[in-house]
Amino acid sequence: MEQRIIDKLKEIKTPYYLYDRTIIENNAETLLGHFERCGAKIFFAAKANTALYILDIIKSQKLGAEVVSPGEIFVCLKAGFTPKQILYNNIARKASDVMYAIRKGVLFYNFEAIDQALVLEQCAKRLRKKIKVFARINPGIFPNTHPHLSTGAPSSKFGMEINQLSEIVKVIKHFKYAEFVGLHSHIGSQILSSTPFVKGVQKVSDSIGYLKSHQIAVEYVNLGGGFGVPYHPDEKPLNFRPIISACEKLAKAHGVKIFLEPGRFIVSNAGYIISEVISIKKRKGMPLYILDAGMTENPRPALYKAYHHIEPLLKKTGSKKKTRIAGPLCENTDEFGIYHLPELRIGDRVLIHNCGAYTRTMASNYNGRLLPPEYVIVKKGLRMIRKKQRFSSLIDNEVY
Ligand code: LLP
């Protein structure tokens, strides 16, 4: 990080979120470059980060958006995505949610159960609008990630089992307003090995074969997201090569267009939380630093025991010690973990890494804490993109 930026970061009251525009742009370009040869269209999984300014950066990189709720549709439209650039997925939706999306002109939908296919058809019929739909299959693959982030394993609640393909064929043959366009599969998130992706592509390819043998045309395949990023300095980046060649083969073999819907890969390493040490104590001889940011700003360590690298903003040298770092909430799980850090004092600032994805979008007001402001590093310096919440946000919409 440039010194002129660090100088500015010292002046802003902590805690706050910080994003780097250039890193987001580079991540998007990297993915577009990887999948250019197989002509993949990329939709950003908005659940990873819904800040309007961040969505706007992503839109300007020519990516679409993948959403899972009317709320995310609302935000993506506000950010300037056109309805045709939006892909609306979810395990289950009420008719009212689908009607909202169709009225807004959203074109692409998935279904993950036969009853949900019927909801799509009925809503499209009621509004006399054509929509394009994908059937999400569960390929039955263990993606080698945290169990909470595995969505393609046989016991996962997501998708339809491959042995349900005959039921899928039956239901799509009845479609009049919904048009079946292809298969969808998403095997999980934060996957750092290419093998499960390649296996997933193979399962999808077999399923396309089945559909074709039943005279069902397949125009698109949505292979989901899930591309992992290194959170720990010892973790190696995902090797995309085998995934790219599997996608190329799939596209050629079946003449299909490929969709991808990554979230984390685009924004995770472009985001930080800047926080300050507010209390220091010792536990079993080990220093325990309490920060002014915790599970309300970043719930990932509490939810998944996720490691987020932490380093001092300024003090990079000095002998390092084993150190425990926790947040300030009245909750035992509010702890970041154990790190090797130089000795810190009260008021010293730290940089918490990989806070661009699934951090602000999963943040909460627990313990009556106000969500911090968000800033972006742009060419000219720093730009505030969201203000800190006010006390009034804590009682918004209450009827008292
Ligand atoms: N497509 C579907 C259908 C998904 O369910 C997800 C993520 C994505 C795409 C994007 O996955 P990504 O490329 O970001 O891995 N809160 C968790 C992550 C949950 C992911 C949910 N689905 C976390 O903090 O790690």
Side-chain angles (χ1 to χ4, degrees), residues 254-293:
H254 293 291
V256 290
K257 293 187 201 93
I258 295 195
F259 282 4
L260 297 166
E261 43 187 26
R264 190 185 316 268
F265 188 89
I266 310 278
V267 285
S268 180
N269 69 344
Y272 312 85
I273 291 173
I274 314 290
S275 180
E276 184 172 287
V277 177
I278 54 171
S279 178
I280 302 175
K281 48 177 100 177
K282 273 205 166 137
R283 281 294 177 271
K284 292 191 174 168
M286 197 192 291
L288 168 59
Y289 295 120
I290 311 290
L291 303 181
D292 63 358

Side-chain angles (χ1 to χ4, degrees), residues 45 47 66 89 136 149 184 186 189-190 225-227 261-264 300 304 358 362:
K47 59 179 89 64
E66 184 255 1
N89 293 328
R136 176 166 173 184
L149 306 182
H184 176 211
H186 169 76
S189 196
Q190 183 48 16
F227 306 135
E261 43 187 26
R264 190 185 316 268
R300 302 194 70 259
Y304 319 115
Y358 305 110
M362 296 204 302

Side-chain angles (χ1 to χ4, degrees), residues 67 70 75 107 253 289 353:
V67 301
V75 175
L107 189 60
Y289 295 120
H353 285 256

Side-chain angles (χ1 to χ4, degrees), residues 86 117 125 148 185 199 206 243 252 270 275 295 301 331 358 366 374 396 398:
I86 296 176
K125 184 175 176 187
H148 292 1
S185 158
K199 281 191 190 159
D206 297 346
I243 308 172
K252 264 199 206 125
S275 180
M295 65 187 285
E331 182 80 34
Y358 305 110
Y366 187 40
E374 292 171 275
D396 244 3
E398 285 200 51

